[in-house]
Amino acid sequence: MTLPLLPESPRYLLFVKGDAQASEQAMQRLWGGGMDHSGELSDMRAEAAALKGVLRRGVLDLFRDRSLRWQLLTVICLITCLQFCGINAVYLYSFAVFRESGVPPHQLRYASLGTGLCELTTGVLSALIIERTGKKVLLLRGYFGMATTLAVLTVTLYLQTILWWMSYCSMILVFLFIIFFASGPAGITAPLAGEVFNHSFKAAGFTISTCINWTCLFLIAMLFPLVVKHTDYLCFLFFLCFSLATGLFVHFNVPETRNLTALEIAEAYRKMHSKQRPHPEDNSHTPAPEDNSHTPAPEDNSHRPATEQDNNHIPVSEDNNTPASVDKHIHVAWIKTELVHLGKNQFVHATRL
């Protein structure tokens, strides 16, 4: 009922309709009037110019495009872990945890309502700080925090049959897990496909993410009861591995996308994954250093052909005491001899002659 009251997407108005004025008016309505949105509009115009003449691509085109490989892997990984991070298991066990903590059965629904309000409040607060903190920081904090919480929750569920006060610790950990989930993965993962792909691949990106999301929901609904039946609270260790692996993937393979356009995000991915480490030179064929122990003794320069630098000491023939004539071929042969015996530096000096 409220959808007709909302304006059209600014990107749709600029990219598809080509109406920059309507796009700016939509920005004013969505992001607040009286503010200067010329920077956002110029970024969208730059992206529109870069994609001018590019047709809308399909799902198969997205899978074939190697330049978008890491963006696609990011969407697949985060959407998959959104369902396999353990949030469904925590909500299922929350009733048992609250019951063990002494909550009366007729008030369990209020405790469940409290978990929902906790997730809603955390999501709203994270939306207010997401542009200042950074999306990658919130994702890392969320996944590593959830992994740690699941590990501790497994221990407290095991000990609450021995120590009565462990049930209260388990209840606190349930709320803590929901806070970590809502502060990062829950709010960042859903619109991720619209950020990391340019306009021509956005529809294909959302199609893939939606299909993966519903497929994972189906698998959770079919397999989770069986997992709980055979492993009980140890099922949290399975979800812990997913959260930890996704956190490591984000840390090493996903750049920060805060306040970046789709083109700038693509460039950040390219720089992050195109670092070519300098390979050491192959020294297997490097010639061994010359053994100077058998280097012939320096020639007697008294019988060396004359050079321009030796004008004051021009050799004289023994017959008529006149300057010795140096044959051209002999001179070339002498240069080659100097190259062999005197080394590279002497050769440079000889070539100046």
Side-chain angles (χ1 to χ4, degrees):
M1 296 176 62
T2 60
L3 188 60
L5 303 177
L6 298 176
E8 291 284 357
S9 169
R11 300 176 67 87
Y12 170 80
L13 294 173
L14 181 63
F15 287 15
V16 180
K17 298 295 185 180
D19 192 345
Q21 183 177 1
S23 177
E24 188 171 4
Q25 291 175 355
M27 290 182 190
Q28 296 288 343
R29 291 184 60 185
L30 290 172
W31 301 339
M35 300 177 62
D36 184 17
H37 301 293
S38 58
E40 291 85 352
L41 186 60
S42 62
D43 291 338
M44 289 194 298
R45 282 176 174 172
E47 183 178 353
L51 299 175
K52 187 176 182 180
V54 178
L55 299 177
R56 188 179 298 273
R57 304 297 183 87
V59 174
L60 293 179
D61 296 324
L62 181 56
F63 278 105
R64 292 168 183 164
D65 196 331
R66 296 181 61 85
S67 63
L68 299 175
R69 177 183 57 182
W70 284 105
Q71 289 92 314
L72 181 60
L73 287 176
T74 300
V75 171
I76 293 175
C77 180
L78 294 185
I79 289 293
T80 301
C81 191
L82 187 65
Q83 302 301 331
F84 286 94
C85 65
I87 185 63
N88 299 296
V90 169
Y91 274 120
L92 176 64
Y93 265 91
S94 62
F95 290 95
V97 169
F98 295 149
R99 190 183 301 110
E100 293 292 334
S101 300
V103 178
H106 65 279
Q107 293 184 354
L108 286 177
R109 60 177 179 267
Y110 299 110
S112 178
L113 180 62
T115 58
L117 290 176
C118 177
E119 182 175 355
L120 177 62
T121 304
T122 307
V124 173
L125 293 178
S126 64
L128 299 176
I129 65 173
I130 188 172
E131 295 301 330
R132 289 182 297 174
T133 307
K135 298 178 181 179
K136 183 175 181 179
V137 174
L138 291 178
L139 283 175
L140 291 176
R141 186 183 301 170
Y143 282 117
F144 288 134
M146 287 190 297
T148 304
T149 304
L150 289 176
V152 180
L153 183 59
T154 302
V155 176
T156 57
L157 289 175
Y158 172 75
L159 294 177
Q160 72 181 8
T161 57
I162 303 174
L163 302 173
W164 62 270
W165 50 269
M166 275 294 173
S167 58
Y168 296 100
C169 296
S170 299
M171 184 173 61
I172 295 174
L173 290 172
V174 167
F175 283 97
L176 187 61
F177 181 90
I178 295 174
I179 290 174
F180 280 124
F181 174 77
S183 63
I188 297 175
T189 306
L192 186 65
E195 298 179 3
V196 299
F197 297 120
N198 56 42
H199 186 71
S200 60
F201 285 102
K202 284 186 186 297
F206 276 114
T207 301
I208 294 174
S209 64
T210 303
C211 291
I212 294 176
N213 185 44
W214 284 105
T215 302
C216 292
L217 279 173
F218 173 77
L219 294 176
I220 285 291
M222 296 298 294
L223 300 178
F224 181 68
L226 298 176
V227 174
V228 173
K229 180 179 179 180
H230 291 87
T231 61
D232 200 18
Y233 57 85
L234 293 178
C235 67
F236 289 127
L237 298 178
F238 171 76
F239 299 113
L240 183 154
C241 295
F242 268 94
S243 298
L244 183 61
T246 306
L248 294 175
F249 177 85
V250 171
H251 177 71
F252 291 107
N253 298 296
V254 180
E256 177 57 64
T257 61
R258 178 183 55 180
N259 298 328
L260 296 181
T261 63
L263 296 179
E264 293 172 338
I265 292 174
E267 181 65 18
Y269 269 102
R270 188 191 65 81
K271 289 181 179 180
M272 190 172 192
H273 296 286
S274 63
K275 295 178 180 179
Q276 297 181 358
R277 298 179 180 178
H279 298 283
E281 295 182 2
D282 188 6
N283 297 324
S284 58
H285 302 287
T286 303
E290 295 182 2
D291 188 2
N292 296 327
S293 60
H294 301 287
T295 302
E299 293 182 337
D300 188 2
N301 293 331
S302 60
H303 300 288
R304 179 171 60 86
T307 64
E308 292 180 4
Q309 294 182 359
D310 297 330
N311 290 334
N312 297 330
H313 304 281
I314 299 176
V316 180
S317 63
E318 297 178 358
D319 297 326
N320 51 12
N321 296 329
T322 57
S325 60
V326 181
D327 187 84
K328 180 179 180 180
H329 298 287
I330 298 176
H331 192 73
V332 173
W334 171 78
I335 292 177
K336 294 181 179 180
T337 304
E338 288 294 308
L339 173 62
V340 175
H341 295 291
L342 300 182
K344 185 177 179 181
N345 293 332
Q346 293 294 337
F347 173 69
V348 173
H349 172 72
T351 54
R352 297 177 181 173
L353 301 179

